[in-house]
Amino acid sequence: MAKMTLIQAINDAMKVAMRRDDRVFIIGEDVGLNGGVFRATEGIFAEFGEERAIDAPLAESGFVGVSTSMAVFGLRPIVEVQFDGFLAPAHEHLVNHIARIRNRSRGRFTCPMVLRIPSFGGIKALEHHSESIENWYANNPGLKIVVPSNPYDAKGLMLAALEDPDPVLYMEPKRLYRSFRAEVPEEYYTVEIGKAAVAREGTDVTLISYGVHVHTCLEAADKAAAKGISCEVIDLRSINPLDEETFLASVKKTGRAVVVTEAPKTGGFHSEIIARINDSVLDYLEAPVARVTGFDVPMPYLLSEDLYLPNADRVLEAIEGVKNY
Amino acid sequence: MAKMTLIQAINDAMKVAMRRDDRVFIIGEDVGLNGGVFRATEGIFAEFGEERAIDAPLAESGFVGVSTSMAVFGLRPIVEVQFDGFLAPAHEHLVNHIARIRNRSRGRFTCPMVLRIPSFGGIKALEHHSESIENWYANNPGLKIVVPSNPYDAKGLMLAALEDPDPVLYMEPKRLYRSFRAEVPEEYYTVEIGKAAVAREGTDVTLISYGVHVHTCLEAADKAAAKGISCEVIDLRSINPLDEETFLASVKKTGRAVVVTEAPKTGGFHSEIIARINDSVLDYLEAPVARVTGFDVPMPYLLSEDLYLPNADRVLEAIEGVKNY
Amino acid sequence: MEMMQSGQLDMEQLFPVRRVLNPDGTLVGEEPNFTTEELMSAYRWMVYLRTFDVRALNLSRQGRMGTFAPFAGQEACQVGSAFWLRRGKDWLFPTYRDHGSMQVMGVPGADIIRYYMGDEWGSHAPEDVNVFPISIPIATQYLHAVGIGWAAKIRKQDNVAVSYVGDGGTSPGDFHEALNFAAVQNTGTIFIINNNGYAISTPNRKQFKTKTLAQRALAYDIPGYRVDGQDILATLQVCKEAFDRAVSGGGPTLIEFLTFRYGPHTTPDDPKKYRAQSEVEAWQAKDALERMKKYLINKGLLTEEQDAKMAEEALAAVNAEIAKAEAAPRPKLDDIFDYVYATPTPELEKQRAYLKAFLAKQGQGEAK
Amino acid sequence: MEMMQSGQLDMEQLFPVRRVLNPDGTLVGEEPNFTTEELMSAYRWMVYLRTFDVRALNLSRQGRMGTFAPFAGQEACQVGSAFWLRRGKDWLFPTYRDHGSMQVMGVPGADIIRYYMGDEWGSHAPEDVNVFPISIPIATQYLHAVGIGWAAKIRKQDNVAVSYVGDGGTSPGDFHEALNFAAVQNTGTIFIINNNGYAISTPNRKQFKTKTLAQRALAYDIPGYRVDGQDILATLQVCKEAFDRAVSGGGPTLIEFLTFRYGPHTTPDDPKKYRAQSEVEAWQAKDALERMKKYLINKGLLTEEQDAKMAEEALAAVNAEIAKAEAAPRPKLDDIFDYVYATPTPELEKQRAYLKAFLAKQGQGEAK
Ligand SMILES: Cc1ncc(C[n+]2csc(CCOP(=O)(O)OP(=O)(O)O)c2C)c(N)n1
Ligand SMILES: Cc1ncc(C[n+]2csc(CCOP(=O)(O)OP(=O)(O)O)c2C)c(N)n1
Ligand SMILES: [Mg+2]
Ligand SMILES: [Mg+2]
């Protein structure tokens, strides 16, 4: 075991995978010699050479598009998009090809690819560098979407994604890259894609989130505890497949829920969670499910970023709202 | 008054607008001499010439991108994307520029543009020609999204969209292009963007949809009536802004709701409607809101299309489900 | 002054149209060195494909399949570009109009008909045939072709990939990104442009300013060619050169075929709206099949009788493929759920169960 | 054989590097015809911008603004390309590194600092300054520039638009789509490529295969130039030719500036990871400001004293802009809701009210 930050865990996972499987390679902008703008690929160029740590020309459609057939050919691409907002040029390849090739060819061709997307806000970056883009793909069958919230899951989900026979969007919460360290096994292990985790057990209110805001929820849960409210925190870990069993069981138990995501409110993925609760455990609800989200505005520039982002106090207010409904 | 099909109403609206305002022009693939692959722009090239009915090179990013600054310059582009699935190459321009230029420049630059998107399935077309792409943009502030369900609204919403100071995605249900005719005033009029319509009044169950499936709901309502269930049908007409008042009032009255959309189920826009019901009128619900949607699969090729699409019988089953809950 | 210089370049002269046979079937220059077998095989393919295309368009018109994109007029481009590829080794990334090339590469005609009937099984290529499903999103397939060459390079293999676009397909950004990636990585990729003069109704002059598309190669320092697309010997010759270059690590090639589609863009299209009948006739006078036929007859390799027989055989073969397609089982309900992922998600299983239960209740069972 | 032909073209010879001043400030050829006022104004701008850039990078390092992209080393490209534009008439579509051009065009330095501090108001150009907000999505702005020329054509006006990309910015599809659209429509667009050798860490050789980027012009039949980006007289001269062409309906021009950024890509970047110090020094030896200064002194238009004074004035001016920016009001809560649409939706008003109520409850009022 070693103490690693989330980005070290991602880096370690990629190295472990590349040592085990020579079909795995990394492609993207500045992922080679430079080790990535976030240093996620630090040391990989040195250890594996420029054929497996590829600095592509600056064209997302291009390197996502070529990676598609490289995966079909039998390689295992890890594609790094430099920032969330810059995945947009590759949208056509994701929705019309990568997500569909297995289905279109009735299994004749498949596209096992991991697309790494540094995601979400909170690091006071320039515009287009702090986006919540999961909703571009949450309604797009054929893709899987995972979001780690801690170093252990980051490594395990990356290795699981590389084993997965289907394309996986791996959304990395930038804000957590270096925010804390945790124990991470040095050896190979996987965290099953499609299984949520109970990050904290509780009895009064269920808090549901993924990525950064699992921590916002944990912080809010502490504050709520101080006020005598016991919160259970669910870390979805995977947006697709969505592990409804875990959060439905919790809501069944607590009868109260708060969903926390960072994307704009209207049409955000959190609404699917509310819909699932409606589908299956409506009768157990003691109060409407509360949602703490971003606002229906473009991600503000850094001076106004904090106004936009969900925080523990906003979650706490929502917790009290559903508790005292 | 004249009886028009939905596509004739769209054609008429564009001509009316172009006669009133010489800043309005149409750009897209084959929209000029050929009159568009659906004949939506029939006669416009002849009447307004090739500078106002522009056959662009085959590049969606290109003609959506140039139209952005043409709108900023002071013109009023109507951009036709040939089919829903081919909007993907222009995704970057929509999410990073068109939706944001007003906000980014604090009102200094604006982008009044109407993007026409022949949408949804039901016409047994080739693949990528029958997509429900509203979810790419339903979580994207800065854009408006409208979907007409009849010729009268089609003309009124088009003219309203052309008056709108902000970009409007105008999703055209291909399946309704020629499916029926209705009275459409010859003169200029607008249908306010952001106001839903009560397509049919009822007391027992509220059916909420837009576009093609307003008709699926009406058909189901007939079948339900035969079984003694009175359904109210809400035609949202606009996805953004979303007129929650109208459907919340109805659900408050009926206590039962079925949401019908064609996109894949998970993460579809219908879940936002369920979330809004949860937010505001949960206590009035006699049963969980039912959803009749597409499945979590890519839009099937034409032989399997009918398996995928919501139909009146599936809606009827849902109506009985919520009624007998 | 730099401007003058580049402006001075005469691209039509820099990229002369490669031609081996004159429209009347006589040789432009010296005899090309193809074996009799190659000559006969190429011609037989064209005869078969012309027949296939005409019958398929009829099927579509009769509603026995959905919208179809015919290629009649472009046979020499399709056959020449797929002719040299190694089955089971090389790759082909077609558009909706390249079912000629697909069949030369080994895709059964029945599969193509099934695709256009609206069955995904039509895109399930035989195990030893590396033909990607038809790409309808224009130009995206150019990048896929580059990925194969790049992957092959990494694996120290020599797989060649051919991909196609039309004249309109040279406008999307992916066309540029693909050529640039291929040039930088020196991949074994053959980029075909089937310039048939129109993108649906949009003529070349509204699509690009230049007199040639081959000159796009100059932007990437890769070889570019213009070829008479109605001359099977020219298409075979240039594609062989490109194939040899690709296999030997010589990198990518851009080939512009000057050709024409005799029919509509797709079934519902009405070409009279945007092009003159005289233009169609002018091209038909240069027909690739006629030209090759005359050449073979002059060479004593073919008689009218043999030709008529070949046509009969082609028709029989096409009809057999159609029969096979129409006899094939219709797609099953499970098909739409089984191939979204290697293993359906729990949610997908619920949806499958819901649909089956619903249909059962409707007394429809699996049927539609 | 066609291949040989195009392969034979020597692009470096076809697109010779335009240079007016040698690195030592002496003339390459005959005296260019610029007025003394133009010469002094161009030099003064470079001195001001160098000062601005150095100070801004420091502000960023001190945390007084966010991540910043410095352009020191590229002043001659920025000044030369914006110099001839008509305020209130022509348009400029900058990248994150073109705040030099933006200021020459009339954007206050204070606005640029506010932008990098993280305030959208920094992108609110003065009413008579048609400078689009910085485009960070690479190459998208090239299409915006084409749209202006096209719209102007439709409105029978002669507005010129200039847009920029770096060497990396030539790879996205939008670069190709923009050049093709501009060529077809013959728009009055000036396409600048600031080729500074690297896209963050990625060197030219991994970005493209060719020896020049100017040759991309050959793919569209538009004029292309290569220019010494450290020579203000060369950049002014070529850009004037391009401007005159654009205004007179002569169509688009592609200009490749050979230049270099002395500093990091952006504040957090460490160039030592990917380039040698010797390379930086080699470029600094060709510095545009030094070169022009020598020229002006030789010409008797400038003395060391005047130069020193100019530097002082520049520093004072820059400090004034910084002071203005730091004194500017911080963005208000309402700002994030007021500009999403011309009129906020009912839902947005609810969200605004919720946020205000929440902050009030937190006792934070409007403040953060
Ligand atoms: C990205 C995209 N946009 C639009 C279309 C619709 N479309 C199908 S074929 C076609 C014209 C293609 O013309 P060309 O590239 O010349 O090929 P051809 O059909 O002439 O063989 C268009 C616009 C598409 N398939 N993909
Ligand atoms: C579409 C897109 N992808 C990635 C990025 C991240 N990024 C910002 S600058 C840059 C390098 C640009 O290099 P170049 O075009 O040469 O311009 P320079 O920075 O050297 O001036 C990259 C990859 C981006 N801004 N946009
Ligand atoms: Mg064509
Ligand atoms: Mg650069």
Side-chain angles (χ1 to χ4, degrees):
Chain A
M1 293 283 240
K3 285 220 171 244
M4 296 187 191
T5 60
L6 187 131
I7 196 162
Q8 286 170 335
I10 293 169
N11 178 271
D12 181 57
M14 293 191 286
K15 286 176 177 165
V16 166
M18 290 177 79
R19 290 183 194 124
R20 285 167 54 104
D21 183 349
D22 72 355
R23 299 169 308 164
V24 178
F25 70 98
I26 294 169
I27 184 169
E29 290 152 354
D30 310 291
V31 297
L33 180 61
N34 196 46
V37 292
F38 285 109
R39 305 282 169 257
T41 55
E42 194 87 76
I44 290 177
F45 183 85
E47 181 175 347
F48 301 96
E50 75 175 350
E51 253 193 1
R52 294 180 68 193
I54 301 171
D55 288 320
L58 202 173
E60 285 76 13
S61 184
F63 61 78
V64 171
V66 298
S67 297
T68 305
S69 52
M70 291 169 94
V72 168
F73 187 85
L75 300 183
R76 289 282 177 278
I78 300 174
V79 183
E80 176 182 309
V81 172
Q82 207 159 58
F83 288 88
D84 30 50
F86 308 135
L87 182 56
H91 189 64
E92 179 178 32
H93 284 276
L94 277 160
V95 299
N96 286 344
H97 285 301
I98 294 169
R100 298 183 177 204
I101 185 56
R102 176 189 293 278
N103 186 67
R104 298 176 66 229
S105 70
R106 287 295 180 250
R108 170 72 171 85
F109 300 108
T110 62
C111 187
M113 167 196 294
V114 178
L115 196 76
R116 293 185 40 236
I117 313 166
S119 300
F120 314 117
I123 62 163
K124 303 227 183 292
L126 284 168
E127 62 181 328
H128 309 298
H129 291 64
S130 304
E131 308 293 314
S132 297
I133 59 134
E134 62 268 42
N135 293 284
W136 297 351
Y137 304 107
N139 189 230
N140 213 291
L143 301 173
K144 295 184 178 181
I145 308 174
V146 301
V147 190
S149 70
N150 60 69
Y152 181 90
D153 288 352
K155 180 173 178 178
L157 285 170
M158 171 59 71
L159 291 170
L162 283 165
E163 277 184 8
D164 201 284
D166 290 301
V168 179
L169 306 192
Y170 183 94
M171 299 180 69
E172 306 174 359
K174 301 175 201 93
R175 192 180 189 170
L176 300 180
Y177 272 155
R178 298 177 167 79
S179 61
F180 68 99
R181 295 170 175 277
E183 293 291 340
V184 175
E186 258 119 60
E187 67 273 14
Y188 183 94
Y189 68 94
T190 61
V191 169
E192 186 181 352
I193 292 175
K195 288 270 165 289
V198 178
R200 171 185 177 129
E201 299 200 338
T203 53
D204 301 331
V205 179
T206 301
L207 312 182
I208 306 167
S209 190
Y210 47 84
V212 180
H213 297 296
V214 169
H215 299 275
T216 309
C217 289
L218 289 168
E219 188 188 339
D222 284 337
K223 295 187 174 205
K227 299 187 167 201
I229 307 172
S230 162
C231 295
E232 183 149 288
V233 178
I234 307 296
D235 177 354
L236 289 179
R237 295 201 290 201
S238 166
I239 287 175
N240 182 1
L242 180 63
D243 176 7
E244 63 172 33
E245 266 176 42
T246 301
F247 68 79
L248 291 178
S250 179
V251 175
K252 218 160 145 176
K253 180 176 71 178
T254 61
R256 297 179 161 84
V258 178
V259 188
V260 183
T261 60
E262 187 172 310
K265 174 184 169 190
T266 301
F269 182 71
H270 65 275
S271 62
E272 176 64 27
I273 295 163
I274 295 172
R276 294 292 179 100
I277 292 171
N278 161 88
D279 293 347
S280 306
V281 296
L282 186 83
D283 297 345
Y284 294 83
L285 285 184
E286 309 282 349
V289 179
R291 36 180 175 171
V292 177
T293 68
F295 300 107
D296 290 347
V297 307
M299 182 68 183
Y301 291 6
L302 65 90
L303 283 176
S304 308
E305 188 178 53
D306 293 339
L307 276 178
Y308 174 90
L309 297 175
N311 60 42
D313 289 328
R314 281 176 58 196
V315 176
L316 179 63
E317 184 189 51
I319 292 168
E320 294 177 302
V322 295
K323 189 70 173 67
N324 308 328
Y325 182 76
Chain B
M1 295 282 244
K3 284 214 171 250
M4 294 186 193
T5 59
L6 187 132
I7 197 163
Q8 286 170 333
I10 292 169
N11 178 271
D12 181 58
M14 293 192 285
K15 286 176 178 165
V16 166
M18 290 177 79
R19 290 182 194 125
R20 285 166 54 103
D21 183 350
D22 71 355
R23 300 169 310 165
V24 178
F25 70 98
I26 295 170
I27 184 170
E29 290 151 354
D30 310 291
V31 297
L33 180 62
N34 196 47
V37 292
F38 285 109
R39 306 280 170 255
T41 56
E42 194 87 75
I44 290 178
F45 183 85
E47 180 174 349
F48 302 96
E50 76 174 349
E51 251 193 1
R52 294 181 68 192
I54 301 171
D55 289 320
L58 203 173
E60 285 76 11
S61 183
F63 62 77
V64 171
V66 298
S67 297
T68 305
S69 52
M70 291 169 94
V72 167
F73 186 85
L75 300 183
R76 290 281 177 278
I78 300 174
V79 183
E80 176 182 308
V81 172
Q82 208 159 58
F83 289 89
D84 31 48
F86 309 135
L87 182 57
H91 189 64
E92 180 178 31
H93 284 275
L94 276 159
V95 299
N96 287 344
H97 285 301
I98 294 169
R100 298 184 177 204
I101 185 56
R102 176 189 294 277
N103 186 67
R104 299 176 66 227
S105 69
R106 288 294 180 251
R108 171 71 172 83
F109 300 108
T110 63
C111 187
M113 167 197 295
V114 178
L115 196 74
R116 292 185 41 235
I117 313 166
S119 299
F120 313 118
I123 62 163
K124 305 231 183 291
L126 286 168
E127 61 180 330
H128 309 297
H129 291 65
S130 304
E131 309 294 313
S132 297
I133 59 136
E134 61 268 40
N135 293 283
W136 298 351
Y137 304 107
N139 189 231
N140 213 291
L143 301 173
K144 295 184 179 182
I145 308 175
V146 300
V147 190
S149 71
N150 60 68
Y152 180 90
D153 288 352
K155 179 172 178 179
L157 285 170
M158 171 59 71
L159 291 170
L162 283 165
E163 276 184 7
D164 202 283
D166 290 302
V168 178
L169 306 191
Y170 182 95
M171 298 180 69
E172 307 174 358
K174 301 176 201 91
R175 192 179 189 170
L176 300 181
Y177 271 155
R178 297 177 168 79
S179 60
F180 68 100
R181 296 171 174 276
E183 293 290 342
V184 175
E186 259 120 59
E187 66 274 13
Y188 183 95
Y189 67 93
T190 60
V191 169
E192 186 180 352
I193 293 175
K195 287 269 166 289
V198 177
R200 170 184 176 129
E201 297 202 338
T203 54
D204 301 333
V205 180
T206 301
L207 311 183
I208 305 167
S209 191
Y210 47 84
V212 180
H213 296 297
V214 169
H215 300 273
T216 310
C217 289
L218 290 169
E219 189 188 337
D222 286 336
K223 296 186 174 207
K227 299 187 169 205
I229 307 172
S230 160
C231 296
E232 183 149 291
V233 178
I234 306 296
D235 178 355
L236 288 179
R237 295 200 291 200
S238 165
I239 288 175
N240 183 0
L242 180 63
D243 176 8
E244 62 171 31
E245 266 175 40
T246 300
F247 69 80
L248 291 178
S250 178
V251 175
K252 217 161 146 176
K253 179 176 72 179
T254 62
R256 296 178 162 83
V258 178
V259 188
V260 184
T261 60
E262 187 173 310
K265 174 184 169 190
T266 301
F269 182 70
H270 64 275
S271 62
E272 175 65 26
I273 295 163
I274 295 172
R276 295 290 180 100
I277 291 170
N278 161 88
D279 293 347
S280 306
V281 297
L282 186 82
D283 298 345
Y284 295 84
L285 285 184
E286 308 282 349
V289 179
R291 36 180 173 170
V292 177
T293 68
F295 299 108
D296 289 348
V297 307
M299 181 69 183
Y301 291 5
L302 65 89
L303 284 175
S304 308
E305 188 178 55
D306 293 339
L307 277 176
Y308 174 91
L309 297 174
N311 60 42
D313 290 329
R314 281 175 58 197
V315 176
L316 178 64
E317 183 188 53
I319 291 168
E320 293 177 298
V322 297
K323 188 69 174 67
N324 309 327
Y325 182 77
Chain C
M1 150 252 219
E2 294 81 352
M3 169 210 169
M4 277 169 49
Q5 288 194 1
S6 50
Q8 271 168 359
L9 292 175
D10 179 339
M11 294 297 178
E12 290 171 301
Q13 180 207 314
L14 199 58
F15 297 95
V17 178
R18 178 77 72 96
R19 182 176 292 117
V20 174
L21 290 179
N22 295 308
D24 64 4
T26 59
L27 285 165
V28 172
E30 76 272 2
E31 187 78 41
N33 55 349
F34 294 113
T35 66
T36 299
E37 203 186 3
E38 288 166 347
L39 294 172
M40 294 310 293
S41 162
Y43 180 63
R44 190 174 293 105
W45 266 117
M46 292 202 294
V47 170
Y48 166 83
L49 291 177
R50 172 71 53 92
T51 314
F52 179 91
D53 194 68
V54 171
R55 293 280 287 115
L57 185 56
N58 284 337
L59 285 186
S60 174
R61 292 210 164 111
Q62 296 161 9
R64 287 158 69 188
M65 58 183 209
T67 297
F68 177 72
F71 59 68
Q74 306 185 189
E75 291 85 354
C77 312
Q78 306 247 335
V79 174
S81 57
F83 198 82
W84 308 107
L85 300 179
R86 297 160 298 176
R87 182 171 178 139
K89 172 123 197 165
D90 299 322
W91 289 69
L92 194 133
F93 293 88
T95 74
Y96 48 84
R97 203 181 300 288
D98 301 309
H99 14 90
S101 311
M102 291 167 76
Q103 293 184 68
V104 173
M105 184 75 167
V107 174
D111 286 3
I112 287 154
I113 294 163
R114 284 179 76 178
Y115 174 88
Y116 281 104
M117 283 176 161
D119 182 351
E120 285 84 350
W121 281 106
S123 294
H124 181 98
E127 279 313 313
D128 66 337
V129 176
N130 296 330
V131 173
F132 213 64
I134 283 170
S135 176
I136 290 181
I138 305 275
T140 53
Q141 65 278 8
Y142 254 38
L143 285 164
H144 297 154
V146 175
I148 294 299
W150 196 343
K153 211 175 106 185
I154 291 173
R155 304 304 276 185
K156 312 264 176 297
Q157 296 174 29
D158 70 352
N159 315 64
V160 173
V162 176
S163 188
Y164 302 82
V165 295
D167 41 295
T170 62
S171 292
D174 279 3
F175 174 87
H176 163 67
E177 297 187 15
L179 265 59
N180 186 49
F181 274 64
V184 171
Q185 288 297 326
N186 200 47
T187 58
T189 316
I190 302 174
F191 297 106
I192 303 289
I193 301 170
N194 285 316
N195 181 356
N196 60 10
Y198 296 85
I200 305 184
S201 71
T202 306
N204 279 182
R205 78 184 150 73
K206 290 188 173 189
Q207 197 69 241
F208 51 91
K209 175 192 177 189
T210 57
K211 294 209 180 67
T212 83
L213 284 166
Q215 75 194 76
R216 294 268 173 94
L218 297 176
Y220 313 97
D221 279 354
I222 65 174
Y225 297 79
R226 267 199 313 162
V227 182
D228 181 339
Q230 310 314 98
D231 177 357
I232 181 67
L233 297 189
T235 63
L236 283 168
Q237 201 176 64
V238 172
C239 291
K240 184 65 164 66
E241 291 167 27
F243 178 81
D244 293 342
R245 181 178 303 118
V247 166
S248 60
T253 305
L254 178 66
I255 300 173
E256 175 186 9
F257 287 135
L258 302 177
T259 185
F260 197 80
R261 82 172 132 75
Y262 296 160
H265 169 70
T266 55
T267 320
D269 176 53
D270 173 13
K272 285 187 209 58
K273 283 183 150 293
Y274 53 82
R275 69 184 194 192
Q277 186 54 25
S278 57
E279 189 183 4
V280 182
E281 283 153 12
W283 276 93
Q284 284 170 327
K286 300 184 279 184
D287 187 67
L289 278 67
E290 274 308 306
R291 196 185 296 202
M292 183 63 170
K293 177 181 167 183
K294 290 190 184 119
Y295 170 73
L296 293 175
I297 288 178
N298 296 345
K299 248 177 112 68
L301 293 174
L302 185 74
T303 66
E304 288 290 355
E305 298 62 37
Q306 291 167 322
D307 190 49
K309 185 148 171 307
M310 210 185 267
E312 279 165 33
E313 288 163 4
L315 185 58
V318 169
N319 288 335
E321 294 298 325
I322 294 171
K324 218 183 289 161
E326 294 194 319
R330 290 290 157 265
K332 295 193 309 303
L333 179 151
D334 286 319
D335 291 341
I336 73 173
F337 294 100
D338 283 341
Y339 301 95
V340 184
Y341 300 99
T343 315
T345 60
E347 176 60 30
L348 268 170
E349 290 300 1
K350 278 191 204 166
Q351 295 181 14
R352 183 209 305 263
Y354 154 78
L355 180 56
K356 286 188 172 178
F358 170 78
L359 292 175
K361 222 176 73 186
Q362 303 287 312
Q364 297 174 40
E366 278 256 341
K368 280 143 269 158
Chain D
M1 150 254 216
E2 292 83 351
M3 168 207 168
M4 277 169 49
Q5 287 196 359
S6 51
Q8 269 169 0
L9 292 175
D10 179 338
M11 295 296 178
E12 289 170 302
Q13 181 207 312
L14 198 57
F15 297 94
V17 178
R18 177 77 73 95
R19 183 175 291 118
V20 175
L21 290 179
N22 295 306
D24 64 3
T26 60
L27 285 166
V28 172
E30 76 273 2
E31 187 78 38
N33 57 349
F34 295 114
T35 66
T36 299
E37 201 184 4
E38 288 165 347
L39 295 171
M40 294 311 293
S41 162
Y43 180 64
R44 189 175 294 105
W45 266 119
M46 292 202 295
V47 170
Y48 166 83
L49 291 176
R50 174 69 54 90
T51 313
F52 179 91
D53 195 68
V54 171
R55 291 281 287 115
L57 185 56
N58 283 336
L59 284 186
S60 175
R61 293 211 164 113
Q62 296 161 9
R64 287 159 70 188
M65 58 182 210
T67 296
F68 176 73
F71 58 69
Q74 306 185 190
E75 292 84 355
C77 311
Q78 305 248 334
V79 174
S81 57
F83 198 82
W84 308 107
L85 301 178
R86 297 160 298 177
R87 183 172 179 139
K89 172 125 197 162
D90 299 322
W91 289 71
L92 194 133
F93 293 87
T95 74
Y96 48 85
R97 204 182 300 288
D98 301 308
H99 14 91
S101 312
M102 291 167 76
Q103 292 183 67
V104 174
M105 183 75 167
V107 174
D111 285 2
I112 287 152
I113 294 162
R114 285 179 77 178
Y115 174 87
Y116 281 104
M117 283 176 162
D119 183 350
E120 286 83 350
W121 281 106
S123 293
H124 182 98
E127 279 313 313
D128 67 337
V129 176
N130 296 329
V131 173
F132 214 63
I134 283 170
S135 176
I136 290 180
I138 305 275
T140 52
Q141 65 278 7
Y142 254 36
L143 284 164
H144 297 154
V146 175
I148 294 300
W150 196 342
K153 211 176 105 184
I154 292 173
R155 305 304 274 184
K156 311 266 177 294
Q157 296 173 29
D158 70 352
N159 315 64
V160 172
V162 176
S163 188
Y164 302 83
V165 295
D167 40 293
T170 62
S171 293
D174 280 2
F175 174 86
H176 163 66
E177 297 187 15
L179 265 59
N180 186 50
F181 274 64
V184 171
Q185 289 297 326
N186 199 45
T187 59
T189 316
I190 301 174
F191 297 107
I192 303 289
I193 302 170
N194 286 314
N195 181 356
N196 59 12
Y198 296 85
I200 304 186
S201 71
T202 306
N204 280 181
R205 79 184 149 73
K206 290 190 173 190
Q207 197 69 238
F208 51 91
K209 176 193 177 189
T210 56
K211 295 208 179 67
T212 83
L213 283 166
Q215 75 194 74
R216 294 270 173 92
L218 297 176
Y220 313 97
D221 280 353
I222 65 174
Y225 297 79
R226 268 199 313 161
V227 182
D228 181 339
Q230 311 313 99
D231 177 356
I232 181 67
L233 298 189
T235 63
L236 282 170
Q237 200 176 65
V238 171
C239 291
K240 184 68 164 67
E241 291 167 26
F243 178 81
D244 293 342
R245 181 175 306 117
V247 166
S248 60
T253 306
L254 179 67
I255 300 172
E256 176 186 9
F257 289 135
L258 302 177
T259 185
F260 197 81
R261 84 174 129 75
Y262 297 161
H265 169 70
T266 55
T267 320
D269 176 53
D270 173 14
K272 286 187 208 60
K273 283 182 150 294
Y274 53 83
R275 67 183 196 193
Q277 187 54 24
S278 55
E279 189 183 4
V280 181
E281 283 153 12
W283 276 94
Q284 285 170 326
K286 300 184 279 185
D287 187 67
L289 278 69
E290 273 309 304
R291 195 184 295 201
M292 184 63 172
K293 176 181 166 184
K294 291 193 185 116
Y295 169 74
L296 292 175
I297 288 177
N298 296 344
K299 252 177 106 71
L301 292 174
L302 185 73
T303 67
E304 287 291 355
E305 298 62 38
Q306 290 166 321
D307 190 50
K309 187 151 169 304
M310 210 183 269
E312 279 167 33
E313 287 164 4
L315 185 58
V318 169
N319 288 336
E321 293 299 325
I322 295 171
K324 217 183 290 162
E326 294 194 320
R330 289 292 156 264
K332 296 193 309 305
L333 179 152
D334 287 319
D335 291 340
I336 73 173
F337 293 100
D338 284 340
Y339 300 95
V340 183
Y341 299 99
T343 315
T345 60
E347 176 60 30
L348 267 170
E349 291 300 2
K350 278 191 202 165
Q351 295 181 14
R352 183 209 306 262
Y354 154 79
L355 180 56
K356 285 187 172 177
F358 170 77
L359 292 175
K361 221 176 76 187
Q362 301 287 308
Q364 297 174 41
E366 279 254 345
K368 279 141 271 161

